[in-house]
Amino acid sequence: MFEFKDKVVVVTGGANGIGKCITEEFRKEGALVEVIDKVEGDHYVGDISDKKTLEAFAEHVIEKYGHIDYLINNALPLMKGINDCSYEEFQYALAVGVAAPFYLTKLFMPHFTDGGSIVNISSSRDRMSQAQTESYTAAKGGISALTHALMMSLSGKVRVNSVSPGWIDTDYTVYAGPDAYQQPSGRVGNPLDIANAVLYLCSDKAGFINGENICIDGGMTHQMIYHADNGWTLS
């Protein structure tokens, strides 16, 4: 118990959804969690697409604690498709989803304790897509690739992994019918499914896992689909 007692954890986008659950689970284990989110609340409020905001936040964390143990890059990029997404909106999605995790890592790099860990929250959309999701999908693909690049650069000091959630209902809705049984695991996911994996990847039990992307989607990305197979039809 309390493996993470007094460990310093930074969670981006930690005010709601998966990020909030990650924050709560770390705090249950006694960790000292610093959250940055653009939503108003009892945390550091700021837009991580802005370079100066990232610099000010990193300075705030280091002035307060002197070091960092774990960085969880969770903040949600904008999802818009090629029909409606402007150039500026696409840039914003990449700034939140890729540039901010890169720059926060760079800012915190001298201050990580030995045995530190970074966990990037990607998405199963890093390997599969729906139409009109280009900004989000590009950002999630980017952070998956950034994960193994950072792993090489931080070798010997900080482990870097990523988690790719599938369908996660942040309201913990319990689905029945096709929404549930289309999933090989028989249900839709919830934020605790992701938070449990994040805490595991930060723990000593995961000490030999490095540069990996773990897809947590109930098996959906491995489900082969053909017309008329298991009731699926193409219209």
Side-chain angles (χ1 to χ4, degrees):
M1 292 182 64
F2 302 111
E3 178 178 357
F4 299 111
K5 182 172 174 54
D6 296 331
K7 297 292 188 180
V8 178
V9 185
V10 167
V11 181
T12 68
N16 295 294
I18 291 172
K20 181 180 180 181
C21 185
I22 292 169
T23 297
E24 290 171 346
E25 292 304 304
F26 268 118
R27 285 177 174 159
K28 287 177 186 176
E29 293 287 329
L32 307 170
V33 186
E34 287 291 317
V35 168
I36 182 170
D37 201 296
K38 64 181 182 180
V39 175
E40 294 292 332
D42 186 21
H43 51 261
Y44 195 100
V45 178
D47 186 338
I48 67 168
S49 70
D50 179 68
K51 179 184 177 185
K52 292 187 183 301
T53 297
L54 295 173
E55 290 170 345
F57 174 63
E59 184 178 357
H60 161 77
V61 172
I62 298 308
E63 282 185 356
K64 189 172 181 178
Y65 299 106
H67 71 279
I68 179 175
D69 295 288
Y70 311 120
L71 170 61
I72 316 301
N73 290 304
N74 165 79
L76 195 66
L78 177 74
M79 183 188 285
K80 294 191 80 171
I82 194 166
N83 288 359
D84 300 317
C85 187
S86 69
Y87 179 80
E88 290 76 17
E89 287 171 326
F90 192 82
Q91 281 193 314
Y92 181 79
L94 295 183
V96 170
V98 184
F102 165 79
Y103 197 45
L104 276 180
T105 300
K106 185 177 180 69
L107 292 168
F108 284 130
M109 192 163 58
H111 307 288
F112 269 101
T113 56
D114 288 337
S117 181
I118 297 170
V119 181
N120 297 320
I121 306 300
S122 182
S123 168
S124 59
R125 293 172 188 268
D126 64 1
R127 67 205 68 190
M128 58 192 297
S129 292
Q130 291 174 301
Q132 302 303 319
T133 63
E134 280 77 11
S135 65
Y136 184 89
T137 300
K140 292 305 187 181
I143 201 169
S144 289
L146 180 65
T147 295
H148 53 75
L150 288 174
M151 179 270 294
M152 291 304 302
S153 297
L154 275 61
S155 292
K157 184 169 179 75
V158 180
R159 291 183 299 109
V160 188
N161 293 288
S162 60
V163 172
S164 288
W167 182 357
I168 303 296
D169 190 289
T170 56
D171 293 323
Y172 295 86
T173 304
V174 177
Y175 290 81
D179 283 334
Y181 65 67
Q182 71 173 329
Q183 313 270 346
S185 293
R187 67 174 176 88
V188 171
N190 64 63
L192 200 53
D193 292 316
I194 308 306
N196 285 337
V198 170
L199 267 68
Y200 170 71
L201 287 171
C202 289
S203 74
D204 291 340
K205 294 176 183 177
F208 203 55
I209 301 176
N210 206 2
E212 283 300 314
N213 179 288
I214 300 175
C215 188
I216 303 176
D217 70 341
M220 282 292 287
T221 54
H222 290 296
Q223 181 169 238
M224 191 173 287
I225 299 172
Y226 291 101
H227 173 69
D229 191 20
N230 293 323
W232 293 93
T233 57
L234 179 67
S235 58

